[in-house]
Amino acid sequence: FNAQIDSGSSDLVIPGSTLNNYSLSQPTYDIKGKTPVISGITQSFYDGTWWTGNFYQDVVSLDGPRASAIFAVMTKQSSTPVTNGEDSQGLMGIAFDSLAVSPLTVVTAMVQSGSFKSDAIGFRGCPATSDSPSVIDWGNEEKNLTCTQNGAPLGWAAVGSKSYYNLNVKSVAVAGKDITLPTDWQTSDTSIIDSCTTLLLLPSAVFDVFVAKIKATGELQAAGLSSTDVDDFLYSQAGLPMDVNYSKLPEISFSLDGLNGEIITLILTGRGYIQGDGTGYFYFPVASQDTSNVVFGSIIYDSFYVVMDRGNGRVGFGPGCDCEK
């Protein structure tokens, strides 16, 4: 199964043979002769999609590591599918077990069996413009991925609670100047790192300042875009061909609560937030949202080495693909 990694859930969820809105030419789990461990479960997601199914226990292999775990098999899903078989064939949850239905999640089973050396997962994400492969490091064992001499990330951010990977963003700056954050900053929704969200989602007050600074450089027009193209690129995620000079673009930075009172700062340069698809087209995977928090989507995995450390309740960040800072 080509399952999508989901840091916003904790269970492995894969398609059964009766699943609707799924390409049945793709893999499904055969439940014939098997007895469910848990029956009649329905789960929904933030985007309105949902699934119904049962939980079974079997041996799960993650390209090498193996362990007996309890996972979900979907029998029905929403009209907008959780998984369609073409883009993905299930979800592999890696959040904390407090979010799980399974009493023995795949990650926990791997740790308990010794298949993972630690309860942590490292991600070396590489954009399409890089020749280097992206890597998922189950158990966070490949210390050469960190690009540091001691084999550890450059900084650890504290996770607010062992559920989602919540991060406390203390301040946001564009071109080195702090932005005035909304008065209700992170009161109803905490900031979060979420692998299943493609975009970097910013409150409108932050997004508007950021986009204004990008426009003010004139670099997108210098890269060959018309005024209409610039708006389509920045506000609608339109993919456009351009020859952009990254050094002319402003940085956006996020100061996060670290461990033991420390503050760590993530800096996204133009190369991090304007990304190519490898065919000459470029995208701006950043958008505005109504809530007063930050959602660090998969753009972050293309810009930093990231370690989701469940065992110690923290997220590590280091230099990105090809050891770029």
Side-chain angles (χ1 to χ4, degrees):
F1 295 90
N2 182 22
Q4 184 176 2
I5 302 295
D6 183 16
S7 64
S9 67
S10 305
D11 292 305
L12 171 62
V13 181
I14 56 176
S17 59
T18 63
L19 186 63
N20 60 309
N21 301 316
Y22 180 82
S23 175
L24 294 181
S25 63
Q26 301 298 327
T28 60
Y29 183 76
D30 185 6
I31 63 172
K32 186 177 181 180
K34 297 181 173 69
T35 301
V37 176
I38 306 172
S39 300
I41 299 297
T42 297
Q43 284 195 329
S44 58
F45 297 95
Y46 184 78
D47 61 2
T49 59
W50 55 267
W51 63 266
T52 294
N54 305 310
F55 280 73
Y56 296 85
Q57 184 161 6
D58 206 339
V59 174
V60 177
S61 174
L62 299 175
D63 288 333
R66 294 167 58 88
S68 178
I70 298 173
F71 53 88
V73 178
M74 294 180 285
T75 57
K76 188 177 181 180
Q77 63 179 337
S78 49
S79 56
T80 300
V82 174
T83 183
N84 61 16
E86 300 297 338
D87 299 323
S88 68
Q89 296 148 12
L91 295 174
M92 174 60 198
I94 61 168
F96 296 93
D97 282 1
S98 62
L99 298 178
V101 173
S102 168
L104 182 62
T105 65
V106 171
V107 175
T108 294
M110 293 291 178
V111 174
Q112 291 181 355
S113 69
S115 294
F116 289 0
K117 290 186 178 179
S118 68
D119 193 357
I121 304 162
F123 294 88
R124 164 68 71 207
C126 289
T129 50
S130 172
D131 292 330
S132 299
S134 295
V135 177
I136 300 175
D137 179 18
W138 301 110
N140 191 34
E141 300 173 17
E142 300 296 329
K143 300 305 180 184
N144 60 305
L145 296 175
T146 65
C147 301
T148 60
Q149 291 184 345
N150 65 355
L154 291 179
W156 290 102
V159 172
S161 63
K162 288 192 174 185
S163 55
Y164 300 99
Y165 290 97
N166 298 314
L167 305 174
N168 184 25
V169 179
K170 306 285 286 185
S171 63
V172 182
V174 174
K177 184 177 180 180
D178 282 350
I179 296 173
T180 301
L181 298 175
T183 56
D184 61 345
W185 180 247
Q186 298 182 141
T187 54
S188 58
D189 294 285
T190 58
S191 294
I192 186 173
I193 181 167
D194 182 22
S195 62
C196 272
T197 299
T198 303
L199 307 176
L200 170 65
L201 299 177
L202 303 173
S204 56
V206 176
F207 179 82
D208 291 345
V209 172
F210 183 33
V211 166
K213 288 288 188 182
I214 294 172
K215 285 185 171 182
T217 66
E219 183 51 35
L220 296 182
Q221 290 89 339
L225 301 188
S226 67
S227 296
T228 300
D229 287 340
V230 169
D231 284 345
D232 287 343
F233 181 73
L234 293 175
Y235 296 104
S236 302
Q237 288 81 52
L240 297 170
M242 66 178 77
D243 184 15
V244 64
N245 184 347
Y246 290 112
S247 66
K248 301 288 186 180
L249 296 170
E251 296 177 342
I252 182 169
S253 61
F254 305 88
S255 294
L256 312 177
D257 264 345
L259 303 177
N260 302 317
E262 296 178 344
I263 299 293
I264 70 166
T265 302
L266 303 182
I267 300 174
L268 271 180
T269 65
R271 190 177 297 277
Y273 61 75
I274 292 182
Q275 298 185 346
D277 66 358
T279 69
Y281 281 75
F282 290 81
Y283 298 82
F284 182 61
V286 184
S288 175
Q289 62 176 355
D290 293 333
T291 55
S292 295
N293 66 322
V294 178
V295 177
F296 296 100
S298 60
I299 173 179
I300 294 298
Y301 295 88
D302 285 343
S303 303
F304 298 94
Y305 168 68
V306 180
V307 177
M308 319 294 274
D309 188 346
R310 301 188 342 147
N312 293 296
R314 58 186 184 172
V315 178
F317 296 94
C321 184
D322 301 317
C323 297
E324 292 180 348
K325 296 183 180 180

